[in-house]
Structure formats: structure tokens, C-alpha cells
Amino acid sequence: DAKTTQPTSMDCAEGRAANLPCNHSTISGNEYVYWYRQIHSQGPQYIIHGLKNNETNEMASLIITEDRKSSTLILPHATLRDTAVYYCIVRSAIYNQGGKLIFGQGTELSVKP
Amino acid sequence: DVKVTQSSRYLVKRTGEKVFLECVQDMDHENMFWYRQDPGLGLRLIYFSYDVKMKEKGDIPEGYSVSREKKERFSLILESASTNQTSMYLCASSPQLATDTQYFGPGTRLTVL
């Protein structure tokens, strides 16, 4: 699975959009981009995933560049409860070692009042 | 909504004890996973199961065993707990393929004294 690079930390004002970038320059054609988040001392929570097209659900939007080498997770109206570590994961769609997830260091997002 | 539950949020055991961690999912998922999460090491896959009574070793199976007698339940067993097994244990499940989206439980923080 391709490696990802994320900023270590980011701040965002409550009510504003939070834009979390991720670089995955070695991504291959059959690899998805997944985003999870983890609030302190809780299990990871699935947010969204995509292959080529931009995706949106009730939690967030995922924007993937045309060359697929980077992506941005957008939380449109951040709240204090969105404070968490956000993980960008590139994952093969082909069965590989049981489909294990590889979490990097992630971005620690702090939403401030 | 997918619901993955784990039997305990916090557990304290003594060295040498046999420890059972239970995980239950209510979405009829085929695949279930056990990870441990440690600071600086990310998530590491211990075992996974793609069907009842089937199990596969992950990256760090030593000192652990698993049991899947029913589709909805996947148990992690520490045969003889040791202090280096103090960790956050996370259970996850995914629908059909091992490469489908994984949904996590809240985690069990195990301390071995």
C-alpha cells in the first residue's frame, strides 16, 4: 500500500470549514483513499473513501486531485466534537494480507471556540 | 448503523492470567479483525477471520489466540498475559471482502500488572 504524508497538526475555528490535506504521490490505479478519525481513547471512526471521483457524505467531502497524488478531506462546519486525529490511508482494492489497515501518524485537528 | 461492541472499555489483569476480550457485531459481516494500538507504532493486526471457525494470523499473533464460533462474535484470548501486552485492543468488522470498509468498536484498554 502506498505511503501517505499528512501535517502533524492543524487548528480550525468552530463553525469554519476544516481542510485536511494528504499526499499520496505513489498511489497506484487500484488503490483507494480512505479517511478515518480517532477521538482520544476511542476506536477509529470511518469517515469516507474514494477512488478517483470526489465523494460527499453526511460527515465530510473528499476531494481527490486529477492525478490522484493528493487529496483533501473537508469538514464543512467544524464543531468542537470534531477535535480528533485524522488518518489518511491508501488501501489496495485487491486482497492483500487480509485487508489490514495501516494507520500512519495522522493529523491532530484542534477545533477551537 | 454498523455497531461493533467490545465487552470492556477498561481491563486490569495480572501477569500470567488468561484474558478474554470479546467483540460482537450486529451487521452480519463476514470478516472480523483484532488489532492492537500502541503510541508510535500505529495499528498492528493480530488476527483476522473471514468466516465462522476460520482464522488467519496477522503481523503479531504471538501470545494470542482467537475464536470465532458464531458469525457475530470474535474473541481474542491472551493465554498468559504479560506486561508487554498492555495496550489498546481494537476489534473491527467488514461486510464481504477483506478489502471492504472496516468498522471499529470502541476499544478495550488493557493493563497487565
Side-chain angles (χ1 to χ4, degrees):
Chain A
D1 292 336
K3 185 178 162 60
T4 62
T5 305
Q6 299 177 252
T8 305
S9 63
M10 292 180 65
D11 289 341
C12 179
E14 190 178 17
R16 302 297 293 268
N19 296 283
L20 292 94
C22 180
N23 285 318
H24 31 79
S25 57
T26 60
I27 194 169
S28 64
N30 63 10
E31 288 180 320
Y32 285 84
V33 180
Y34 274 80
W35 283 84
Y36 282 80
R37 72 180 182 185
Q38 191 169 22
I39 295 168
H40 183 61
S41 293
Q42 295 184 24
Q45 179 187 21
Y46 165 76
I47 301 173
I48 200 166
H49 74 283
L51 185 64
K52 293 183 196 175
N53 299 322
N54 298 337
E55 302 287 343
T56 295
N57 63 20
E58 65 279 3
M59 286 183 70
S61 295
L62 174 60
I63 309 297
I64 302 175
T65 58
E66 199 168 331
D67 64 7
R68 302 186 69 239
K69 292 185 177 182
S70 65
S71 60
T72 301
L73 178 76
I74 301 171
L75 308 177
H77 305 286
T79 71
L80 300 179
R81 287 184 296 180
D82 292 322
T83 292
V85 179
Y86 287 76
Y87 295 98
C88 169
I89 301 160
V90 170
R91 187 162 179 240
S92 175
I94 298 170
Y95 184 87
N96 177 34
Q97 292 186 308
K100 69 177 177 182
L101 288 172
I102 300 174
F103 280 45
Q105 295 306 306
T107 296
E108 189 161 0
L109 176 69
S110 296
V111 180
K112 299 184 185 300
Chain B
D1 267 359
V2 177
K3 193 102 187 268
V4 180
T5 57
Q6 294 183 230
S7 49
S8 307
R9 290 300 310 276
Y10 299 94
L11 208 52
V12 180
K13 295 291 182 181
R14 296 207 174 274
T15 301
E17 281 192 78
K18 192 168 185 175
V19 182
F20 293 86
L21 302 182
E22 299 274 318
C23 175
V24 177
Q25 48 93 6
D26 67 356
M27 287 301 293
D28 202 35
H29 283 178
E30 301 290 331
N31 308 290
M32 297 187 76
F33 305 81
W34 275 107
Y35 293 88
R36 63 178 281 179
Q37 185 176 31
D38 301 287
L41 296 177
L43 257 66
R44 291 181 290 168
L45 182 65
I46 305 171
Y47 268 98
F48 67 98
S49 167
Y50 51 87
D51 201 354
V52 175
K53 296 194 188 294
M54 305 301 287
K55 60 185 179 185
E56 294 278 348
K57 292 180 180 179
D59 295 323
I60 52 163
E62 297 79 19
Y64 303 94
S65 62
V66 290
S67 171
R68 193 159 179 211
E69 295 295 318
K70 293 185 178 181
K71 191 174 186 179
E72 67 271 18
R73 189 179 296 268
F74 192 34
S75 302
L76 180 70
I77 303 149
L78 285 66
E79 298 290 344
S80 176
S82 64
T83 55
N84 63 13
Q85 292 178 310
T86 291
S87 187
M88 169 73 106
Y89 288 88
L90 293 162
C91 175
S93 70
S94 69
Q96 287 275 340
L97 302 174
T99 47
D100 284 339
T101 298
Q102 291 182 25
Y103 298 91
F104 285 83
T108 295
R109 186 164 293 283
L110 172 67
T111 302
V112 182
L113 301 175

